[in-house]
Amino acid sequence: MIRNDCAHFRGDRPCRHKRVCEDCPHFEALGPRVLIIKCRAQGDVLRTTPLLPGLRLKHPRSLVTWVVDPESVDLLDNNPYLHRVLPFGLETVLPLQVEEFEAVYCLDKEPALTALATQVKGARKYGFGSDKNGALKIFNRAASYAYRLGVDDDLKFRRNEKTYQEIAAEAAEVD
């Protein structure tokens, strides 16, 4: 019996355990699904990873997918908090548009990434998206400070006293 309700099920090829589903000791029921979109700048990708334990607490038993630039995939591979690491590109974007997520976290402000976050189905969205004119918008009020940093050089370079991780956690509403 094939179990397409397993977190490891791929459908187009064997799962990472290379087992047929029946009586597989690695069966893991699908849980809530979370999507993180943070692609640009490898340093920023790494600086975003401290959010993962907080996201696990916020979304217990969740399956976390992270969309990242292709050159940053290796930075996230084998991270125990992540179920899937997907390189950003057409072959990733199209399948994501039919999936459904409990939560979508977009911590990038690039138009292609905010458009993806806006189009992906998510019960709750955090961070940034695109409005009907293609302009940057915030999904949640807690992302307002991170938004202002992008348009207010005085705040960003003179008055800001928050770390990157504090700003990202605030936008994601994660402790």
Side-chain angles (χ1 to χ4, degrees):
M1 176 174 80
I2 303 297
R3 301 279 315 256
N4 68 351
D5 60 337
C6 177
H8 305 291
F9 179 76
R10 295 293 311 249
D12 61 332
R13 59 184 161 266
C15 76
R16 69 178 183 197
H17 301 291
K18 309 285 190 231
R19 306 267 318 233
V20 176
C21 301
E22 194 168 346
D23 300 320
C24 177
H26 303 286
F27 175 79
E28 183 180 345
L30 287 173
R33 296 161 40 87
V34 172
L35 177 64
I36 300 169
I37 302 170
K38 180 61 187 161
C39 291
R40 304 298 188 236
Q42 287 184 323
D44 287 351
V45 169
L46 284 176
R47 293 190 307 169
T48 305
T49 59
L51 293 181
L52 293 172
L55 285 173
R56 176 62 53 90
L57 291 172
K58 187 174 180 177
H59 305 281
R61 298 182 340 271
S62 62
L63 302 174
V64 180
T65 298
W66 190 318
V67 175
V68 68
D69 281 330
E71 62 270 11
S72 297
V73 168
D74 291 344
L75 297 174
L76 300 175
D77 267 350
N78 301 313
N79 186 305
Y81 292 101
L82 299 175
H83 177 252
R84 292 187 302 180
V85 178
L86 302 175
F88 180 67
L90 187 60
E91 291 200 12
T92 299
V93 169
L94 293 176
L96 285 175
Q97 290 181 334
V98 298
E99 296 183 31
E100 294 183 11
F101 296 90
E102 175 182 310
V104 175
Y105 294 86
C106 181
L107 300 172
D108 260 305
K109 297 176 184 175
E110 302 272 334
L113 302 171
T114 59
L116 173 61
T118 300
Q119 289 186 338
V120 168
K121 296 176 194 97
R124 291 179 304 228
K125 295 187 178 185
Y126 303 86
F128 308 103
S130 298
D131 70 13
K132 65 182 180 177
N133 299 314
L136 182 68
K137 72 173 187 175
I138 58 170
F139 284 133
N140 57 319
R141 177 166 282 168
S144 296
Y145 188 82
Y147 175 82
R148 289 238 10 242
L149 283 174
V151 296
D152 185 341
D153 282 346
D154 183 55
L155 176 63
K156 183 174 185 173
F157 297 114
R158 293 176 194 86
R159 295 185 289 130
N160 177 48
E161 295 183 1
K162 296 180 182 183
T163 67
Y164 178 91
Q165 289 82 5
E166 289 171 330
I167 295 164
E170 181 178 289
E173 297 183 24
V174 172
D175 290 333

